[in-house]
Amino acid sequence: MQAISKTFSLIFSTLFLISCAEKKKEVQTENQTRPNILFIMSDDHAYQAISAYSDHLIQTPNIDRIGKEGIVFTNACVTNSICAPSRATILTGKHTHINGKVDNLMPFDTTQVTFPQLFQKAGYQTAMFGKLHFGNNPKGVDDFMILPGQGQYINPDFITQNGDTTITGYATHITTDITLNWLDKKRDPNKPFMLMYLHKAPHRPWWPTPEKFKEYYGKEFPIPETLFDDYSNRGSAAKTAEMNLLTHMKYVYDTKVWPETIANMGTVTPEVPDLVNAFNNQYNRATEEQKAQLKPFLDAISKDFEENWPSKTDKEKMIWKYQRYMQDYLACISSVDDNVGRVLDYLDENQLAENTLVVYTSDQGFYLGEHGWFDKRFIYDESFKTPLLIRWPNKIKAGITNEEMVQNLDFAQTFLEAAQIEIPDDMQGESLMPLLTSNEEKWTRDAVYYHYYEYPAEHQVMRHYGIVTVDYKLAHFYYDVDEWELYDRKKDPREMNNVYADPAYAEVVRELKIKLEKLRVQYKDSDELNQHYIDLHESRMAKTH
């Protein structure tokens, strides 16, 4: 009996081990077929400042590499061109009027399900590092270190599960260090991962590292053809927006002239104390060693300003501000590109690249002097369009471009389908998988919907909604005006001429208005909902004042 018992025990043990081995094999096979997701996003990174789109300003070899090994979308765009609303749309796969985050101040509807929650529930290991921009406790992530609010470039604070911490260094480098440390030390190799790697840069006020200051200060960049746009062929919105380089870009806060220099000159109106304090607070975050590295460049800027500004014409002043802006903005992007390269190299060196879907994007576009502007918010291309480069070896053919109208609204569904996770019925985007896998015939969208709400507010960009196709753009500006604008995107790519009233475009206007109303119904937007958000905004403003 004892011998028989031992035999059965041996058989049972053998079967158990075989079963465990088979289950482990099944898990490994499952994990190999479910890709890792690496979502890389910068803040306010204009597509014009990525050499995969145009190399007239800067070379970005590491970001370009994603596109060279995958796909570059040339008509990627956002639903609402402002930071927190864009991020809420990305996380939920829903327009901002549905998730509640219509502007930077309106609260996010925390009952909304985000795609990281679905990944976490489906067995993915999830993490988020860098700039979220709303909320201090992101849902659906196993590990996070996020910048509070806008975050700081120099010696930034971070919010973690274990409380707040300050890390000495530069935000772009630190966010990358945290990301690489997680990949190397905290990642569970038996699970696929969904990792959000989110840069503060190149958000205003554009503080480069001393090394990048040295490289970029004094460089001259090509002047946009529309830098001196007078908005003569457009409506009230373009004429009244407050983001002109000459008029609205700040001497101290933005171009980094010492406050004392402005005060001593007496010929330049001093900036309001809040902006001077914001500059001082940023600089004073630096250690004495860091200040010693930054000071020579700040001294040089101030010396140039003091000696040359008073004698400049308005045109020359506009160009001076543009060059200062580009020097700092592009220096910040250069650091982002360097650090993206570090992460891509890590994937290659650790055999993770083959099964990782890598995305590079921004939360929206940005003006780099086009039409005389900085910032974003408009439905016009520089603001509305966003960079989007995606790599997925063996799934996406290398080196292709696509001009279909895709949006940040589509990211959640795309990632969920790629990971074989069920997509909730209430998400409003469309998975990009047909475009990623060369099944374009399955892609049916021919127009996208846009709606901007934050007005009256900073930069004074009027409320508007609209429809955009590959060929045309129709926008309705409302609230304190009732104006329509139409642009022929093929004949007028710089959007200089509103042809809404041109009889030659009457049929285009008629057809687009019909399509626009259908989109508003499809996405559950309406004039009543507009009024609801107007009432909330006015109530909030009344309490503030």
Side-chain angles (χ1 to χ4, degrees):
M1 286 293 293
Q2 190 174 3
I4 294 172
S5 177
K6 285 183 178 180
T7 301
F8 274 112
S9 178
L10 180 61
I11 292 170
F12 178 79
S13 298
T14 302
L15 291 173
F16 178 77
L17 290 171
I18 291 171
S19 174
C20 288
E22 288 298 320
K23 285 182 180 179
K24 185 176 181 182
K25 184 178 179 182
E26 286 173 12
V27 171
Q28 288 175 340
T29 301
E30 180 186 3
N31 289 344
Q32 287 167 0
T33 58
R34 300 171 73 193
N36 305 310
I37 308 291
L38 174 59
F39 180 73
I40 310 172
M41 184 165 70
S42 296
D43 195 313
D44 292 345
H45 191 170
Y47 65 89
Q48 313 94 284
I50 294 178
S51 46
Y53 291 95
S54 173
D55 62 0
H56 75 291
L57 289 175
I58 190 172
Q59 293 292 329
T60 53
N62 296 298
I63 297 170
D64 291 358
R65 178 175 153 195
I66 299 170
K68 287 178 181 177
E69 297 172 358
I71 185 170
V72 176
F73 286 93
T74 59
N75 260 319
C77 60
V78 296
T79 64
N80 183 357
S81 183
I82 190 167
C83 300
S86 175
R87 292 159 191 269
T89 290
I90 289 168
L91 288 169
T92 62
K94 300 174 188 177
H95 276 273
T96 52
H97 61 267
I98 300 295
N99 64 49
K101 195 67 177 165
V102 297
D103 60 32
N104 277 339
L105 297 177
M106 198 69 71
F108 173 66
D109 177 3
T110 56
T111 67
Q112 296 287 328
V113 174
T114 64
F115 80 80
Q117 289 175 276
L118 300 174
F119 272 84
Q120 189 181 52
K121 186 177 179 181
Y124 269 70
Q125 188 179 16
T126 58
M128 178 187 291
F129 304 119
K131 183 174 181 179
L132 174 60
H133 197 197
F134 67 93
N136 293 341
N137 188 20
K139 297 192 294 185
V141 291
D142 303 319
D143 195 2
F144 68 85
M145 289 186 71
I146 57 174
L147 297 161
Q150 292 287 5
Q152 301 285 350
Y153 279 102
I154 301 169
N155 303 334
D157 302 319
F158 282 87
I159 299 167
T160 77
Q161 287 107 322
N162 301 316
D164 296 356
T165 185
T166 301
I167 303 177
T168 302
Y170 186 67
T172 304
H173 299 334
I174 294 167
T175 301
T176 306
D177 292 341
I178 294 167
T179 298
L180 290 173
N181 181 68
W182 185 87
L183 283 168
D184 201 46
K185 307 295 184 187
K186 296 184 178 182
R187 181 178 63 87
D188 183 348
N190 295 315
K191 286 184 176 183
F193 64 81
M194 193 290 296
L195 173 59
M196 302 187 78
Y197 165 47
L198 312 173
H199 286 291
K200 171 188 170 57
H203 193 280
R204 189 183 188 190
W206 317 299
W207 278 82
T209 64
E211 294 79 13
K212 296 297 182 181
F213 246 133
K214 182 177 181 180
E215 182 180 352
Y216 280 82
Y217 179 61
K219 277 190 175 184
E220 290 194 3
F221 297 92
I223 296 170
E225 291 184 22
T226 60
L227 181 65
F228 299 100
D229 188 356
D230 63 4
Y231 321 117
S232 57
N233 294 318
R234 277 176 287 176
S236 302
K239 294 182 178 72
T240 58
E242 296 180 358
M243 51 191 196
N244 182 270
L245 285 166
L246 178 61
T247 310
H248 303 111
M249 180 167 278
K250 307 304 180 185
Y251 303 116
V252 174
Y253 182 67
D254 292 319
T255 69
K256 303 176 185 63
V257 177
W258 288 119
E260 297 80 7
T261 300
I262 299 292
N264 292 337
M265 286 174 67
T267 56
V268 179
T269 303
E271 285 180 23
V272 296
D274 284 352
L275 288 175
V276 173
N277 290 338
F279 170 86
N280 288 333
N281 290 342
Q282 184 72 240
Y283 178 68
N284 287 329
R285 293 186 67 86
T287 64
E288 291 306 312
E289 181 182 357
Q290 291 167 334
K291 286 180 180 178
Q293 294 174 318
L294 290 168
K295 190 174 181 298
F297 304 105
L298 302 179
D299 286 345
I301 293 165
S302 292
K303 182 181 180 183
D304 175 28
F305 185 85
E306 185 173 24
E307 292 178 352
N308 299 304
W309 184 262
S311 62
K312 290 181 183 293
T313 64
D314 281 353
K315 182 177 180 180
E316 290 170 335
K317 288 176 179 179
M318 181 79 144
I319 292 171
W320 186 91
K321 278 194 170 181
Y322 166 75
Q323 296 295 354
R324 278 296 307 121
Y325 171 35
M326 286 299 92
Q327 289 159 11
D328 291 352
Y329 180 91
L330 296 172
C332 291
I333 285 176
S334 183
S335 288
V336 170
D337 187 69
D338 291 346
N339 281 278
V340 167
R342 292 173 61 199
V343 175
L344 295 179
D345 288 346
Y346 181 91
L347 297 181
D348 288 345
E349 292 161 5
N350 290 273
Q351 292 75 52
L352 289 170
E354 286 297 303
N355 197 37
T356 300
L357 189 159
V358 178
V359 175
Y360 186 88
T361 191
S362 175
D363 49 357
Q364 66 267 315
F366 213 68
Y367 285 101
L368 304 184
E370 300 88 0
H371 310 291
W373 288 333
F374 65 102
D375 207 71
K376 57 254 182 181
R377 301 165 196 262
F378 274 114
I379 196 172
Y380 308 140
D381 268 7
E382 291 85 0
S383 163
F384 164 77
K385 286 174 63 174
T386 189
L388 179 60
L389 305 91
I390 305 178
R391 181 185 81 179
W392 191 6
N394 303 316
K395 293 288 185 178
I396 300 174
K397 291 179 182 177
I400 59 176
T401 60
N402 187 286
E403 71 165 6
E404 296 288 352
M405 299 301 304
V406 303
Q407 283 189 300
N408 58 351
L409 185 70
D410 304 323
F411 294 168
Q413 293 92 314
T414 304
F415 302 154
L416 291 168
E417 182 175 350
Q420 303 163 39
I421 301 171
E422 185 176 355
I423 300 171
D425 292 337
D426 61 349
M427 284 189 172
Q428 295 183 306
E430 295 184 33
S431 169
L432 303 179
M433 286 296 286
L435 304 179
L436 301 183
T437 56
S438 300
N439 291 311
E440 286 86 354
E441 68 280 359
K442 294 183 179 179
W443 181 259
T444 58
R445 180 192 288 156
D446 61 358
V448 296
Y449 182 61
Y450 180 87
H451 198 153
Y452 174 78
Y453 299 83
E454 192 168 294
Y455 175 85
E458 185 179 7
H459 296 301
Q460 294 292 77
V461 172
M462 291 179 174
R463 293 171 184 256
H464 59 291
Y465 60 84
I467 180 174
V468 185
T469 70
V470 170
D471 295 320
Y472 298 104
K473 180 177 295 180
L474 178 71
H476 180 213
F477 292 86
Y478 67 95
Y479 180 65
D480 52 356
V481 295
D482 181 11
E483 297 179 357
W484 289 84
E485 297 183 7
L486 174 71
Y487 296 94
D488 187 323
R489 299 184 74 204
K490 293 293 178 69
K491 292 182 179 178
D492 180 25
R494 292 183 179 83
E495 299 171 319
M496 297 290 286
N497 298 297
N498 173 19
V499 293
Y500 178 78
D502 186 336
Y505 288 89
E507 184 61 21
V508 173
V509 168
R510 188 189 72 82
E511 291 179 358
L512 286 177
K513 281 191 172 182
I514 292 171
K515 279 189 174 184
L516 175 58
E517 284 309 306
K518 287 181 178 178
L519 283 181
R520 298 190 79 200
V521 171
Q522 175 185 336
Y523 293 124
K524 302 178 182 178
D525 199 6
S526 65
D527 290 341
E528 292 75 20
L529 200 52
N530 290 355
Q531 190 59 51
H532 167 70
Y533 284 117
I534 287 171
D535 292 344
L536 288 176
H537 180 81
E538 290 180 343
S539 174
R540 187 176 64 212
M541 296 296 290
K543 289 177 182 177
T544 302
H545 294 90

